[in-house]
Amino acid sequence: LVTDEGDISIVWLDSRLKYQLQLEGKKTNGSALYLGKANYRKNETIFSNEQLANNTCVCCRISMDFNNKGELAILWRHIYGDNIREFALLTVSQEKNAQKTPYQISFDRWQINGCPHQGGAISINDNNRYHLVWFNQGEIGKGIFYAASNDQGKSLTKAISVGDNSAQAAHPHMNSNGSNIDIVWTQFTGTEHQLWHQRSTDNGKSFDKAKILSTASDGSDRPFIIKNGSKSYVSWLRPK
């Protein structure tokens, strides 16, 4: 992500720590989350290289956004205990030496010894309300869920189910634009791939009825919402 002031933030999953721990004969799981920051306008041309968390899922897409204080918030799938793969959220404080405390966001108890290849999404509005969506297939929760937080993930609204899990609802993405919250995801009927959309106009308190935006018969990619001013656009690749 790049701010108007030229601050560049790059976040990625990295296995260097796992490799080092294995050489030392220590057990670890997954990979680690790293952050690199630079600002060419300020002549900061060498990126930092900071570890933020260990035991992260190795493939699930990372999502991030800036809050109204200019702090970077990162959502990723974390590995808890015996391969319980849930989502975690960390807001990187601008204060030096501040403690980095990730909050667990989902509690669906998805135990799986492998990467689901299902990332979540975060979008933060001007009032610093964090909007979050994720996908799990756990003992407690199955499918896509939405929740919000007014304290950077310390507490959450009750998770709301999104989409039809029996139709393989998956790969959610979202965007907040004022009081409007837009969520998109894919479903599959067995013969047709569908792009679905659902909107809230009251900051996530309630949602309109979901509707199909588009379909594809020969496969499709994961959808993403892109914001430009007051308008939002959906990027969705499908074969011709």
Side-chain angles (χ1 to χ4, degrees):
L1 287 181
V2 182
T3 67
D4 293 337
E5 293 75 27
D7 294 314
I8 306 169
S9 298
I10 302 173
V11 179
W12 69 95
L13 300 171
D14 197 309
S15 294
R16 77 183 85 162
L17 179 60
K18 178 179 181 179
Y19 177 73
Q20 181 61 40
L21 290 173
Q22 287 177 338
L23 290 180
E24 297 173 5
K26 299 177 181 179
K27 289 185 177 181
T28 185
N29 200 359
S31 56
L33 185 73
Y34 278 79
L35 168 65
K37 299 179 71 175
N39 190 317
Y40 282 68
R41 296 180 189 174
K42 299 178 182 178
N43 202 33
E44 299 171 358
T45 58
I46 298 177
F47 278 86
S48 61
N49 197 325
E50 179 184 6
Q51 180 193 338
L52 299 178
N54 191 26
N55 298 322
T56 65
C57 205
V58 299
C59 298
C60 288
R61 184 188 70 244
I62 305 166
S63 183
M64 54 185 178
D65 197 3
F66 287 104
N67 64 22
N68 62 10
K69 297 180 182 179
E71 298 169 327
L72 185 67
I74 309 165
L75 178 72
W76 74 93
R77 189 183 293 278
H78 197 79
I79 304 175
Y80 294 92
D82 185 17
N83 274 317
I84 305 296
R85 307 209 175 208
E86 304 281 8
F87 281 88
L89 172 68
L90 172 66
T91 299
V92 182
S93 174
Q94 294 181 337
E95 298 178 7
K96 290 185 178 180
N97 301 320
Q99 185 175 1
K100 296 178 177 59
T101 304
Y103 293 110
Q104 185 174 341
I105 296 302
S106 65
F107 298 86
D108 303 312
R109 289 196 57 82
W110 193 4
Q111 185 176 39
I112 177 173
N113 186 19
C115 182
H117 291 264
Q118 291 268 0
I122 179 173
S123 185
I124 306 172
N125 69 9
D126 294 336
N127 295 321
N128 230 31
R129 184 173 172 87
Y130 287 34
H131 299 277
L132 309 154
V133 290
W134 66 87
F135 171 90
N136 272 334
Q137 288 289 302
E139 296 176 9
I140 298 175
K142 298 180 185 294
I144 299 172
F145 296 94
Y146 160 85
S149 175
N150 291 318
D151 51 13
Q152 301 183 355
K154 186 177 181 179
S155 64
L156 296 167
T157 60
K158 183 179 179 180
I160 299 172
S161 179
V162 177
D164 183 358
N165 188 53
S166 66
Q168 301 181 40
H171 302 299
H173 199 250
M174 70 168 305
N175 179 61
S176 61
N177 202 334
S179 60
N180 291 335
I181 311 300
D182 291 295
I183 303 176
V184 293
W185 68 94
T186 59
Q187 292 187 183
F188 183 57
T189 66
T191 57
E192 182 180 67
H193 298 266
Q194 300 173 333
L195 172 63
W196 282 79
H197 167 250
Q198 195 163 15
R199 167 172 286 186
S200 168
T201 58
D202 57 7
N203 217 16
K205 296 177 182 178
S206 63
F207 281 85
D208 297 338
K209 185 178 179 180
K211 61 181 181 180
I212 298 175
L213 294 182
S214 187
T215 61
S217 58
D218 296 320
S220 68
D221 203 354
R222 303 168 186 181
F224 294 94
I225 300 182
I226 303 167
K227 183 171 69 173
N228 182 16
S230 61
K231 294 184 178 180
S232 296
Y233 303 88
V234 181
S235 170
W236 188 51
L237 177 65
R238 56 181 182 175
K240 294 182 177 180

